[in-house]
Amino acid sequence: MEFFWDKGPQFVRDIVEMYPDPKPHINTVSTMVRSLESKGYVGHKQYGNTFQYFAIVDREKFSSMTLKGVISKYFGNSFKSAVSALVSDEELSVDDLKELLKQVEQQK
């Protein structure tokens, strides 16, 4: 997605060229781009037999959609369970939680 946000619409061969050596195979990149398209993140415009792909969602929307997907898949669609796991793994402190609660209360 970064390639699309940073460079705009791209052909798969152009995306391959942006990777450092050793470059991924064009079929690998093509599969990744089509997967992003099937998830609604990317669209395409056809030029003859080739496609130029472009971002449909911005970074913020992509982050939100991706986070929701992870929480759905790995935490039974429970944001509470996800936060609990972060606290248990000491990735999120009690002070962090208090700050988040304060932010939520201010938004209401």
Side-chain angles (χ1 to χ4, degrees), residues 4 25 35-36 41 48-49 51 69 77 80 85 87 92-93:
F4 298 116
H25 193 274
S35 175
L36 290 170
Y41 304 136
N49 292 335
F51 297 94
N77 214 26
K80 182 179 175 183
V87 171
L92 193 61
S93 70

Side-chain angles (χ1 to χ4, degrees), residues 5-33:
W5 293 321
D6 293 343
K7 305 288 185 183
Q10 298 291 317
F11 294 96
V12 171
R13 67 178 177 273
D14 297 328
I15 297 170
V16 171
E17 289 305 312
M18 288 187 263
Y19 277 95
D21 288 328
K23 297 183 184 312
H25 193 274
I26 193 165
N27 290 347
T28 302
V29 175
S30 179
T31 299
M32 289 188 319
V33 171

Side-chain angles (χ1 to χ4, degrees), residues 83 86-87 91-107:
V83 171
L86 291 171
V87 171
E91 300 291 332
L92 193 61
S93 70
V94 172
D95 288 338
D96 291 336
L97 283 173
K98 288 178 183 177
E99 186 177 327
L100 286 171
L101 285 171
K102 196 173 178 181
Q103 289 175 6
V104 169
E105 288 171 353
Q106 289 174 352
Q107 289 177 356

